[in-house]
Amino acid sequence: MPLRDTSADHAATDRTFQVDLRGLVDLLSHHLYSSPRVYLRELLQNAVDALTARHAVEPHGDFGIRLYADGKVVRVEDDGVGLTEADVHTFLATIGRSSKRAERIAEQRADFIGQFGIGLLSCFLVADEIHVLSRSARTPDAPAVEWRGRGDGSYTVRTLPASARPRPGTTVTLTPRSDAGEWTRPQQVHALARHFGSLLRHPVNFDDGSGGAAAPVNPEPAPWARSFPTPGARSRALAAYGEEVFGFTPLDTIELDLPAVGLKGIACVLPEAVPAGRRHGHRVHVKGMLLSEQAEEILPEWAFFVRCVVDAESLRPTASRESLYEDATLAAVRDALAERLREWIARAAASDPDLLGRFLQTHHLAVKSLAVHDDEILRMLLPWLPFETTDGHTTLDEFARTHRTVLVTSSVEEFRQVAAIASAAGLGVVNGGYTYDRELVHRMPEIRPEVSVADLDPATLTAHLDPVDRETELAAAPYLAQARDALAVFDCDVALRTFQPASAPALLVDSREARHERTRSRLAREQEGGLWGDILGALRQEAPRAQLILNQLNPLVRTAVAIDEPELARTSAEALYGQAVMLSRRPLRPAESSLINRSFLDLLAHALRKDS
């Protein structure tokens, strides 16, 4: 488009956007942007883009950005490359156009953060009219250009004398709507500017119209971009910045530097454990501008023990510029940052055992999840990871020094059933019921070949229980028969053995798999004759039974096996079974809850009758 007449009184020309602006603003506010506050980010991005282009023309120029907000207007002024009248129509009048020219413009703007036109339209989220006054630095003799866009989709363009804007650059002025005060008050504008632009490489200053000195928005560069007299001073500065950004004192800070994509920043190790799989949002800046505070995709899922703040040159934002576009570059960055975290763990393991100990004590679950998939971390840290064992909470390395054969349970409840008995019998058992633990314990021989690992099964445990002499077993036979009859409804056998500790009256040996098989067998019997019954019947095998093992060393059991009253014998067996079930800490079935209540009341009634 040819340049317009430069006279000051040249008539303004009415034009119309080549889009439905009302529909576009609705799309921006309800579907693209998370909050109206992004209008200021978009204005800052446009200003930064203009400065980037100006530096390409004048590399050594001293240029900046100035913000002004007094409660009546919001103004953003930059010393950037400015716009000609043709640029105004290209960037402000035709939005979303698909053409070869638009593609060339996009290529030329690859070093910029955003696109001027679509970003400026975000201002309609808080204002009904946008005023732009610009003068081009590329065409020194070009006139100043004024553009006024309105919320109804119309705009006017006119050229003005150069004196209307003596210096090249652009000024965008908004007159906020009455309902937008939340986002356009001076204090809020200043806070938003600091929020989005604290790491911008160009100086940004804010004026609240009170007559005081302008306040710097980004007074100093990011700490990783500054020099420090000592490594310790640098480390403290990085930690202080992490605390300022995230609100916690990091356990440690990990400096991140990926020159290939121009990424720098820090990862802050959380001082407290977090639930497995809970992913934190990370702060990602692109060319200094805050893109997102919730960028989960920058790190792999297992790295939930850190929060990152990074500034990158080559990451690609999505259309809303509030998250990262998933492409090959982001995947490569994610892999490279994961490697930096592994290197930090390796350094801690090699040179700072105190830091490693505090890290593992807090984040052992995160490291276990990593070790499952990472052989290097497995070899490095598996011996140092804590596990619940029959020797208490200890590392596998300490546990393997005492137990050359390590047994591991498949569930927490199985471990709790056998822990006291196995410990007294000298068996080394690890609780494999927690996430990752069973799989990791089975990989112990890869690190310590002298150690063998096996799953704990009932036969292994009962083999370590001593049988009673024949005379004692014969004397107890009537009681055992009555006990088996009373507990048959629970598919439970009863046996008499001797084992430590003598304070334990009974041990219930059962497994989740055995209970599932008994449930399947019961369903097959109930559904016999139907299609479902035929399917279950085809899988039928001898259902495994639970086993209640009574401890002959326990005084209560010795008294119980001598009971000659049938009803009292049954009640005592039911009570011993109920107590053993509760000690296993597995969920009670309704029939078991009923049995525990009934046996308690029957024993209480018997005791009262005996005393009366």
Side-chain angles (χ1 to χ4, degrees), residues 218-299:
N218 52 344
E220 57 185 7
W224 52 81
R226 305 200 303 265
S227 298
F228 295 90
T230 64
R234 183 178 185 85
S235 178
R236 288 190 294 273
L238 294 176
Y241 182 74
E243 184 171 3
E244 176 187 349
V245 170
F246 295 123
F248 63 81
T249 303
L251 187 66
D252 196 21
T253 55
I254 308 165
E255 193 158 358
L256 306 174
D257 186 4
L258 303 179
V261 292
L263 182 146
K264 289 180 178 293
I266 56 172
C268 297
V269 182
L270 291 162
E272 297 178 352
V274 294
R278 176 182 172 185
R279 301 186 68 183
H280 288 286
H282 306 288
R283 288 177 63 95
V284 175
H285 298 251
V286 175
K287 300 180 177 69
M289 183 68 73
L290 178 64
L291 179 76
S292 174
E293 297 175 273
Q294 300 297 325
E296 296 180 354
E297 61 274 17
I298 195 73
L299 287 180

Side-chain angles (χ1 to χ4, degrees), residues 236-500:
R236 288 190 294 273
L238 294 176
Y241 182 74
E243 184 171 3
E244 176 187 349
V245 170
F246 295 123
F248 63 81
T249 303
L251 187 66
D252 196 21
T253 55
I254 308 165
E255 193 158 358
L256 306 174
D257 186 4
L258 303 179
V261 292
L263 182 146
K264 289 180 178 293
I266 56 172
C268 297
V269 182
L270 291 162
E272 297 178 352
V274 294
R278 176 182 172 185
R279 301 186 68 183
H280 288 286
H282 306 288
R283 288 177 63 95
V284 175
H285 298 251
V286 175
K287 300 180 177 69
M289 183 68 73
L290 178 64
L291 179 76
S292 174
E293 297 175 273
Q294 300 297 325
E296 296 180 354
E297 61 274 17
I298 195 73
L299 287 180
E301 290 187 9
W302 55 260
F304 52 83
F305 57 89
V306 297
R307 293 193 69 182
C308 292
V309 52
V310 299
D311 186 20
E313 295 285 338
S314 302
L315 293 178
R316 178 181 171 190
T318 59
S320 67
R321 280 171 269 174
E322 295 184 324
S323 59
L324 295 171
Y325 188 83
E326 188 68 48
D327 57 10
T329 300
L330 179 57
V333 166
R334 185 164 50 238
D335 290 343
L337 293 180
E339 184 59 31
R340 297 297 183 275
L341 298 183
R342 292 190 186 94
E343 291 172 356
W344 173 82
I345 294 174
R347 286 196 302 273
S351 60
D352 197 339
D354 180 61
L355 173 61
L356 179 67
R358 287 185 284 120
F359 170 65
L360 292 181
Q361 183 178 10
T362 305
H363 297 294
H364 58 272
L365 186 59
V367 178
K368 287 178 180 179
S369 69
L370 175 57
V372 167
H373 307 289
D374 191 309
D375 289 346
E376 182 179 351
I377 294 296
L378 178 79
R379 289 191 296 272
M380 189 179 354
L381 294 182
L382 180 60
W384 309 104
L385 289 172
F387 290 82
E388 184 179 8
T389 75
T390 47
D391 291 353
H393 283 82
T394 185
T395 65
L396 282 187
D397 202 50
E398 288 290 335
F399 194 66
R401 293 177 186 175
T402 308
H403 306 282
R404 285 293 181 259
T405 298
V406 175
L407 303 173
V408 58
T409 64
S410 60
S411 68
V412 174
E413 62 191 50
E414 289 176 11
F415 177 81
R416 288 169 176 168
Q417 287 177 29
V418 305
I421 312 302
S423 178
L427 297 176
V429 182
V430 178
N431 186 350
Y434 296 115
T435 306
Y436 311 117
D437 283 15
R438 182 169 176 268
E439 184 176 355
L440 288 172
V441 172
H442 273 285
R443 298 191 66 178
M444 185 64 180
E446 299 176 30
I447 315 301
R448 298 284 186 269
E450 69 277 10
V451 177
S452 62
V453 177
D455 286 324
L456 177 68
D457 58 33
T460 303
L461 182 63
T462 54
H464 286 78
L465 305 181
D466 296 325
V468 297
D469 59 75
R470 184 173 180 78
E471 183 179 344
T472 301
E473 188 163 12
L474 286 175
Y479 178 85
L480 297 177
Q482 291 173 351
R484 293 186 185 108
D485 183 64
L487 301 180
V489 66
F490 299 111
D491 293 313
C492 183
D493 196 7
V494 183
L496 186 64
R497 297 287 188 273
T498 63
F499 54 85
Q500 295 294 338

Side-chain angles (χ1 to χ4, degrees), residues 73-267:
V73 298
V74 175
R75 187 163 59 241
V76 179
E77 182 178 0
D78 67 68
D79 301 320
V81 72
L83 300 171
T84 64
E85 184 181 5
D87 293 333
V88 165
H89 292 300
T90 297
F91 295 124
L92 302 183
T94 304
I95 308 302
R97 179 177 60 183
S98 176
S99 68
K100 292 297 183 182
R101 173 175 166 79
E103 291 173 6
R104 289 196 300 272
I105 292 172
E107 291 175 1
Q108 294 168 2
R109 295 172 65 83
D111 290 336
F112 303 155
I113 297 173
Q115 299 296 321
F116 192 91
I118 192 72
L120 192 67
L121 287 184
S122 68
C123 295
F124 284 118
L125 299 175
V126 297
D128 287 327
E129 183 172 292
I130 305 170
H131 176 254
V132 177
L133 181 62
S134 187
R135 182 180 171 192
S136 175
R138 287 198 179 100
T139 312
D141 59 345
V145 183
E146 179 191 67
W147 179 92
R148 289 184 183 272
R150 291 172 287 276
D152 61 3
S154 63
Y155 72 95
T156 60
V157 176
R158 63 174 181 164
T159 55
L160 301 175
S163 59
R165 200 184 196 291
R167 299 170 59 188
T170 300
T171 302
V172 180
T173 304
L174 311 179
T175 303
R177 293 195 306 270
S178 59
D179 62 351
E182 177 184 359
W183 308 110
T184 57
R185 292 192 300 270
Q187 300 90 333
Q188 182 70 300
V189 171
H190 188 207
L192 290 175
R194 285 191 56 81
H195 179 73
F196 290 118
S198 63
L199 297 186
L200 289 176
R201 291 83 185 268
H202 306 286
V204 182
N205 291 288
F206 173 77
D207 183 355
D208 63 3
S210 64
V217 168
N218 52 344
E220 57 185 7
W224 52 81
R226 305 200 303 265
S227 298
F228 295 90
T230 64
R234 183 178 185 85
S235 178
R236 288 190 294 273
L238 294 176
Y241 182 74
E243 184 171 3
E244 176 187 349
V245 170
F246 295 123
F248 63 81
T249 303
L251 187 66
D252 196 21
T253 55
I254 308 165
E255 193 158 358
L256 306 174
D257 186 4
L258 303 179
V261 292
L263 182 146
K264 289 180 178 293
I266 56 172

